[in-house]
């Protein structure tokens, strides 16, 4: 059972930003490298970066909200709620990835820790991914 009232839970959930500081830092770095893309495009699954011309989408997944195998954890408070919530998030991620692949899109999912460990290397990974998608698109 949730230990907050429905109104308190709404307030907490509303305070969660749809764009993280990390996503803004990543998109700014990519923009400065000359890449042009849509940020948080109004596409299925709300990709963080999308280039429709090349059918390429990039998702930057938070280690907590997307249950990273290295850093993800289930909070001990209200464990049942969090197990179900994070499980739904993981299932949705799989569904979104499957959708794009079935539609012929290139999909890149990256963990937030990849940027924290080596930001420049992670940016280069995205650039190479987009170059590859560009080649496939012809």
């Amino acid at each position: 059972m949730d230990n907050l009232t429905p109104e308190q839970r709404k307030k907490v959930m509303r305070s969660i930003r749809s764009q993280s500081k990390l996503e803004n830092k990543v998109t700014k770095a990519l923009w400065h490298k000359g890449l042009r893309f849509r940020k948080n495009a109004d596409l299925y699954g709300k990709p963080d970066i999308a280039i429709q011309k090349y059918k390429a989408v990039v998702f930057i997944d938070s280690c907590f909200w997307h249950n990273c195998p290295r850093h993800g954890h289930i909070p001990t408070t209200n464990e049942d709620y969090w197990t179900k919530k994070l499980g739904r998030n993981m299932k949705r991620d799989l569904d979104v990835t499957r959708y794009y692949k079935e539609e012929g899109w290139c999909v890149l999912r990256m963990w937030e820790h990849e940027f924290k460990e080596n930001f420049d290397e992670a940016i280069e990974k995205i650039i190479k991914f987009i170059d590859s998608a560009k080649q496939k698109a012809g």
Side-chain angles (χ1 to χ4, degrees), residues 11 13 17 20 28 32-33 35 44-45 47 54 59 74 89 95 102 108 122 127 130-131 133 135 138:
K11 185 177 179 183
M13 296 307 281
R17 301 173 56 146
S20 70
K28 191 174 188 177
H32 284 298
K33 296 248 183 200
L35 289 176
Y44 182 67
Y54 306 136
F59 294 90
I74 305 292
N89 289 356
D95 292 343
E102 287 173 358
L108 176 64
I127 291 170
I130 291 171
D131 286 343
Q135 296 297 318

Side-chain angles (χ1 to χ4, degrees), residues 64 73-80 82:
F64 175 75
H73 69 282
I74 305 292
T76 54
T77 304
N78 207 0
E79 196 170 334
D80 187 48
W82 286 110

Side-chain angles (χ1 to χ4, degrees), residues 6-124:
E7 195 54 44
Q8 290 170 322
R9 176 60 57 210
K10 271 186 203 174
K11 185 177 179 183
V12 168
M13 296 307 281
R14 266 191 247 128
S15 70
I16 298 169
R17 301 173 56 146
S18 65
Q19 295 178 35
S20 70
K21 289 179 185 177
L22 174 60
E23 289 168 16
N24 289 335
K25 185 177 176 183
V26 169
T27 55
K28 191 174 188 177
L30 292 170
W31 196 265
H32 284 298
K33 296 248 183 200
L35 289 176
R36 298 300 175 251
F37 50 85
R38 293 280 172 233
K39 192 169 135 176
N40 295 101
D42 193 22
L43 296 171
Y44 182 67
K46 275 283 214 193
D48 298 306
I49 297 167
I51 304 177
Q52 289 177 282
K53 179 179 180 179
Y54 306 136
K55 293 182 97 175
V57 290
V58 177
F59 294 90
I60 301 168
D61 293 338
S62 144
C63 288
F64 175 75
W65 289 107
H66 298 268
N67 208 17
C68 165
R70 278 179 46 193
H71 303 105
H73 69 282
I74 305 292
T76 54
T77 304
N78 207 0
E79 196 170 334
D80 187 48
Y81 168 82
W82 286 110
T83 300
K84 289 175 184 173
K85 169 68 179 155
L86 298 177
R88 287 190 308 267
N89 289 356
M90 290 170 60
K91 182 185 180 317
R92 186 181 59 242
D93 291 344
L94 290 172
D95 292 343
V96 168
T97 299
R98 186 177 311 111
Y99 168 83
Y100 280 108
K101 289 189 175 191
E102 287 173 358
E103 295 294 317
W105 287 63
C106 299
V107 180
L108 176 64
R109 285 194 170 273
M110 296 186 68
W111 291 109
E112 76 176 302
H113 69 254
E114 292 179 75
F115 295 93
K116 291 178 179 177
E117 289 168 1
N118 190 330
F119 186 82
D120 294 334
E121 189 176 289
I123 293 297
E124 284 305 312

